[in-house]
Amino acid sequence: MEKKVSIIEFGVAGGNGLTAVEYLASKIEQHLNGGIEFEIYGFDTGEGLPEPESKEDLPYWFEAKQYKMDVEKLKNRLTRAKLILGNVKDTSENFFKKYNPAPVGALFYDMDYHSSTRDCFKLFDESEIEKFFLPRLYLYMDDVIGQDIEMYGEFNGQLLAIKDFNQRSDGIKIHLNQNLLARNNFDAKHQIYYAHLFNHLQYSSFVGAEEKDISQQLLKLK
Ligand SMILES: C[S@@+](CC[C@H](N)C(=O)[O-])C[C@H]1O[C@@H](n2cnc3c(N)ncnc32)[C@H](O)[C@@H]1O
């Protein structure tokens, strides 16, 4: 059985998120002792934010060139993640063909704009979903909560991109997690989403028997 899973971050900038993913992936691999292996990919222009496309990109809060990456410095910092440089509207097009990644299981969205998040979702246009995705995915959406002045909502930014995606997509739906909401000790509980790939051939395979075992093992990691 394939035990490799890919993790993707959209929006890397200085690499704090991506290096944290590298660290945690290695820790989980060691802990599960060969039970799982991760591939890690990070998408970014390498030049900071592009020009905003519209008001839905929140130009009152974000502007072009913000979060510019020092590419060489970051490459030296990374231990295993692959950087995919260019505008995601282009790099998402041939990602699967070019990199032939292990099935994607988790995606971190931190490209700030409505338009960039919309273009990240182009990965879901892939037709070979069994080859390139797990049937259900964990998503982290960075820009759905913020300071008062950011004023995110369902008519702008990432939340609008999610709403539009769900409207146009029949087979895949993205929604806020419900189970973590009940936890008091988890800061990111409003930013963890799930994607259900309802047309995935493994979508209905029963995983209940494995679930208890995996939760027990992950609890020991804390
Ligand atoms: C807030 S920063 C990411 C911060 C990062 N996740 C961290 O942990 O520090 C947003 C990044 O998204 C990238 N970005 C935004 N729109 C993009 C696009 N259309 N294509 C590629 N990268 C984009 C910018 O270059 C910028 O580096």
Side-chain angles (χ1 to χ4, degrees), residues 9-18 43-50 62 66-69 86-89 91 110-113 115-116 119 142-143:
E9 184 183 50
F10 294 103
V12 176
N16 288 343
L18 202 59
F43 286 74
D44 203 288
T45 59
E47 298 165 355
L49 293 177
F62 297 116
Q66 248 179 328
Y67 308 112
K68 189 171 162 29
M69 173 190 288
N87 194 307
V88 72
K89 76 172 174 240
T91 52
D110 192 9
M111 285 197 177
D112 303 334
Y113 287 165
S115 59
S116 302
D119 293 337
D142 190 70
D143 305 294

Side-chain angles (χ1 to χ4, degrees), residues 67-120:
Y67 308 112
K68 189 171 162 29
M69 173 190 288
D70 182 334
V71 177
E72 283 317 304
K73 191 171 164 198
L74 178 60
K75 281 185 176 166
N76 288 330
R77 223 179 135 197
L78 294 174
T79 55
R80 54 188 287 186
K82 289 197 176 92
L83 264 188
I84 300 171
L85 296 180
N87 194 307
V88 72
K89 76 172 174 240
D90 307 315
T91 52
S92 57
E93 297 259 323
N94 63 353
F95 168 67
F96 290 112
K97 210 169 167 189
K98 187 164 175 194
Y99 292 90
N100 192 29
V104 178
L107 305 103
F108 295 75
Y109 292 86
D110 192 9
M111 285 197 177
D112 303 334
Y113 287 165
H114 163 263
S115 59
S116 302
T117 309
R118 173 200 67 205
D119 293 337
C120 297

